[in-house]
Amino acid sequence: MHYSTISFIIIIIPLLTALIQPCYSAANLRSFSSSIVFQVTGNVYPQGYYYVTVNIGNPPKPYWLDLDTGSDLTWLQCDAPCTKCLPAPHKPYKPSKDLVTCMDPLCASMHWPETITCNSPNDQCDYEVQYADHASSVGLLVTDWFPLQYTNGSIVKPRLAFGCGYDQEVQAPMDPPYTDGILGLGLGKASILHQLSELGVTRNVVAHCLSAQGDGHLFFGDEFVPSSGVIWTPISTTQIEKHYYLGTAELYVGGKTSGVKGLPIVFDSGSTYTYFSGEAYKALVSMLMNDIKGKQIYNANEDKSLPVCWKGSKPFKSVQDVKNIFKPIVLSFAKSKNVRFQMDPEAYLIISKYGNACLGILNGSEADLESVNLIGDISFHDKIIIYDNEKQQIGWAPANCNKLPNINDYGDPDHRGRCKPGRSNPDILYCVA
Ligand SMILES: *[C@@H]1O[C@H](CO)[C@@H](O)[C@H](O)[C@H]1NC(C)=O
Ligand SMILES: *[C@@H]1O[C@H](CO)[C@@H](O)[C@H](O)[C@H]1NC(C)=O
């Protein structure tokens, strides 16, 4: 799986344990409805990941962070010093002296469900995260300023906790994303999204719009949630805790049921491709093979870009060339008949460098994902996907992700102007333009 990154977290190993009570009360601050928009760069193929540029520190420096709704912790490669840093676009982040201590609730949440024991209240908070593709990061939690620009132009600088990763590993032959770290957008307390909502900066809502042609947008806050046309489904919390789990679904291909039901579905933007568990994958491949019989398309076993590829009489230029050959794949959720996640060909096929159409839904059993069905970047193409942690629901709607949302300007997020601490909370600065 050269071109895939899977960030679904399997374990978090507790190393140390945590007390600094947050000295703010969030409830009465949560009155803003403003949002923050980031330009997203990347594609599913050939790059294999999407990232945003986030400015961190004072003065701020830019870092490229891989979007990941499958994990909570945001971390950057860090000069603490760095014992093992991977090739990256920027120099490792130099940590401020503001460490998160072992007693901080954020530290405890990073280690959940294990409990941590602190030897001393001032111990640093160590972390280790391991992703399903066996990549990992080890480091300590620090805090620093994140200058962010609201869509109305105003700038806020919240102080957020994140990981300073000094030891990163990837499993060969994985090609790690060429980024400085990971932007964890999961539903845990350590997520910067949760921190922003605690500080009253934005609502605990994140949305992404990834274009099949590459690039797109990422939104914090609920200002860009379309007022109609969104299919909503509750986030299930009974299973696969800490992930955006949507409950179980039945698989349909080209309007016909596969007979495979009860598939647990997780949304994870940190996964390049979509993974179906053994039985669903088998049914999918056989139904697609059946559907294309008699059409001008043949197996291209010689193309190793992905496990299943098809060739035409001449090379394909884009997924548009095969749109009338391949039918939609639908996940129909058990909770409600009307909740259906439809994947058109651009949400499950890529055109390889040889001009073949390759299936971007992979065998999850081969990737050790067991029964989980992971919906990854490819299947989010040309849709806005909204993770609403306030209302505990996930929504999706067709969208043109190439188009800039209707805002004046991305402005100058690394603004260095004068900033003043908020009256109710010193961990957030308000700046004048
Ligand atoms: C922009 O929105 C933020 C958050 O809602 C608010 O605090 C700020 O005053 C607004 N700025 C302007 C110029 O309206
Ligand atoms: C999926 O992977 C499993 C585990 O490697 C394997 O046993 C199974 O045959 C694969 N399914 C298909 C349809 O290739």
Side-chain angles (χ1 to χ4, degrees):
M1 286 178 298
H2 273 285
Y3 297 107
S4 70
T5 63
I6 316 175
S7 64
F8 185 81
I9 284 209
I10 36 180
I11 41 169
I12 293 170
I13 301 169
L15 296 177
L16 261 189
T17 342
L19 170 129
I20 292 186
Q21 281 302 121
C23 49
Y24 52 85
S25 144
N28 54 354
L29 290 172
R30 215 174 284 157
S31 54
F32 306 138
S33 67
S34 282
S35 295
I36 293 160
V37 183
F38 298 87
Q39 175 83 54
V40 172
T41 307
N43 56 54
V44 163
Y45 181 90
Q47 213 170 340
Y49 56 93
Y50 286 91
Y51 68 88
V52 290
T53 302
V54 179
N55 295 289
I56 302 171
N58 196 17
K61 292 205 172 115
Y63 298 95
W64 291 1
L65 302 181
D66 193 357
L67 294 193
D68 185 15
T69 58
S71 67
D72 295 340
L73 185 71
T74 291
W75 60 264
L76 341 171
Q77 298 209 99
C78 182
D79 193 4
C82 203
T83 45
K84 199 152 179 223
C85 275
L86 303 169
H90 299 97
K91 280 198 198 127
Y93 164 80
K94 282 223 189 309
S96 66
K97 290 192 182 63
D98 302 301
L99 305 186
V100 173
T101 67
C102 169
M103 300 290 279
D104 194 298
L106 268 180
C107 190
S109 99
M110 265 315 294
H111 293 261
W112 182 93
E114 312 282 340
T115 51
I116 35 177
T117 351
C118 295
N119 295 323
S120 142
N122 290 325
D123 280 350
Q124 66 188 43
C125 176
D126 294 307
Y127 76 84
E128 171 165 357
V129 282
Q130 286 210 7
Y131 302 95
D133 59 8
H134 306 293
S136 63
S137 169
V138 173
L140 63 151
L141 295 192
V142 299
T143 68
D144 209 336
W145 303 103
F146 281 59
L148 300 167
Q149 185 165 40
Y150 284 122
T151 50
N152 70 8
S154 290
I155 288 161
V156 276
K157 279 195 194 180
R159 176 187 276 287
L160 303 177
F162 60 98
C164 152
Y166 52 74
D167 184 352
Q168 279 64 243
E169 310 259 351
V170 282
Q171 187 114 328
M174 276 279 306
D175 237 353
Y178 188 64
T179 59
D180 300 298
I182 291 205
L183 187 68
L185 301 170
L187 33 70
K189 283 204 170 65
S191 160
I192 58 166
L193 204 64
H194 185 269
Q195 297 181 54
L196 288 173
S197 104
E198 287 283 286
L199 290 168
V201 174
T202 56
R203 291 183 155 258
N204 195 345
V205 177
V206 59
H208 52 67
C209 196
L210 306 177
S211 171
Q213 289 154 43
D215 302 349
H217 302 97
L218 176 74
F219 309 92
F220 287 178
D222 57 4
E223 205 183 346
F224 292 96
V225 174
S227 50
S228 64
V230 179
I231 299 177
W232 291 104
T233 186
I235 298 171
S236 290
T237 47
T238 47
Q239 255 191 49
I240 329 183
E241 206 93 37
K242 295 196 86 166
H243 295 104
Y244 290 112
Y245 172 56
L246 281 73
T248 60
E250 179 174 352
L251 171 68
Y252 287 77
V253 181
K256 291 193 279 269
T257 178
S258 65
V260 186
K261 296 183 191 181
L263 299 167
I265 306 295
V266 167
F267 276 15
D268 180 1
S269 72
S271 176
T272 310
Y273 294 106
T274 288
Y275 291 81
F276 279 2
S277 53
E279 202 193 348
Y281 180 75
K282 191 169 164 212
L284 172 74
V285 173
S286 102
M287 289 176 84
L288 287 175
M289 292 291 189
N290 243 322
D291 268 355
I292 60 171
K293 267 191 199 136
K295 297 181 181 157
Q296 301 290 309
I297 190 161
Y298 315 94
N299 290 350
N301 298 330
E302 67 283 5
D303 188 340
K304 303 291 178 212
S305 308
L306 284 173
V308 177
C309 294
W310 294 278
K311 62 186 164 202
S313 43
K314 58 177 200 282
F316 302 123
K317 287 202 186 69
S318 84
V319 175
Q320 292 304 317
D321 297 349
V322 292
K323 267 205 100 153
N324 49 6
I325 299 177
F326 289 93
K327 304 220 177 96
I329 297 171
V330 170
L331 294 170
S332 177
F333 285 84
K335 273 181 293 217
S336 162
K337 290 266 172 300
N338 302 326
V339 179
R340 296 156 60 86
F341 186 79
Q342 178 165 328
M343 292 171 267
D344 291 331
E346 57 272 16
Y348 67 87
L349 295 173
I350 56 111
I351 303 301
S352 75
K353 59 183 175 199
Y354 309 105
N356 300 317
C358 299
L359 181 61
I361 299 178
L362 309 181
N363 183 349
S365 306
E366 231 155 60
D368 292 331
L369 289 173
E370 304 191 356
S371 66
V372 173
N373 297 273
L374 218 55
I375 310 304
D377 293 339
I378 189 167
S379 302
F380 299 143
H381 278 161
D382 300 343
K383 283 189 177 76
I384 182 163
I385 309 284
I386 307 140
Y387 307 76
D388 185 340
N389 292 308
E390 305 268 343
K391 296 186 187 149
Q392 304 273 304
Q393 59 182 10
I394 290 188
W396 54 86
N400 178 354
C401 303
N402 301 311
K403 210 179 112 216
L404 290 175
N406 186 22
I407 51 163
N408 301 336
D409 137 35
Y410 283 89
D412 151 42
D414 58 351
H415 170 87
R416 289 157 197 230
R418 282 190 310 118
C419 302
K420 277 202 295 206
R423 209 173 298 158
S424 50
N425 187 347
D427 281 339
I428 168 164
L429 303 180
Y430 296 91
C431 311
V432 288

